[in-house]
Amino acid sequence: DGMANTFHRLVVHLVWAVRARRLALVGQVETTVRKALARKARDIGASAVASGGTADHVHVLVRYPTAVAVAELARQLKGASSYQANACEVDDERFAWQSGYAALSVDAAHVAGLRSYIELQKVHHAAGTSQPDMEFASADSSAADTDASSQGEA
């Protein structure tokens, strides 16, 4: 089998927001979402290297296999995490993600720094030190499937 000798190191930085930027990723919902992201990544043969965010958006750094398309990875992670968030939602409003997402390829040399950035999202946002080129979650859901490079130029 020629594929047995295939080498890959695929890492993607995914970012998406809670629908309407509702401040829903707090407390038990935030914990549940982060656990669901890690669990679903494992289920599909990927690995959530880091996840973090603020009350209205999430960043996930994921190593993924060649057999999984980035669009499918995002769909699976968003679906599983919103399902679990709704199972524990403390208010009457249904939890939902925006329809789009940003996906940025990550060079192996930048994984450690990006992991730290993602894990310290709340600190960066509170201190005003978030990096605009890493904050692609659209403020509205009309940016569904917008190319991340065009979002970065906006």
Side-chain angles (χ1 to χ4, degrees), residues 1-7:
D1 178 7
M3 296 301 284
N5 296 321
T6 301
F7 171 79

Side-chain angles (χ1 to χ4, degrees), residues 106-141:
V106 180
D107 184 277
H110 297 109
V111 170
L114 187 53
R115 178 182 187 161
S116 176
Y117 178 76
I118 289 171
E119 290 173 346
L120 295 172
Q121 272 289 289
K122 288 180 182 157
V123 173
H124 286 297
H125 281 273
T129 58
S130 59
Q131 298 173 22
D133 59 337
M134 293 294 149
E135 301 295 330
F136 294 100
S138 173
D140 63 52
S141 60

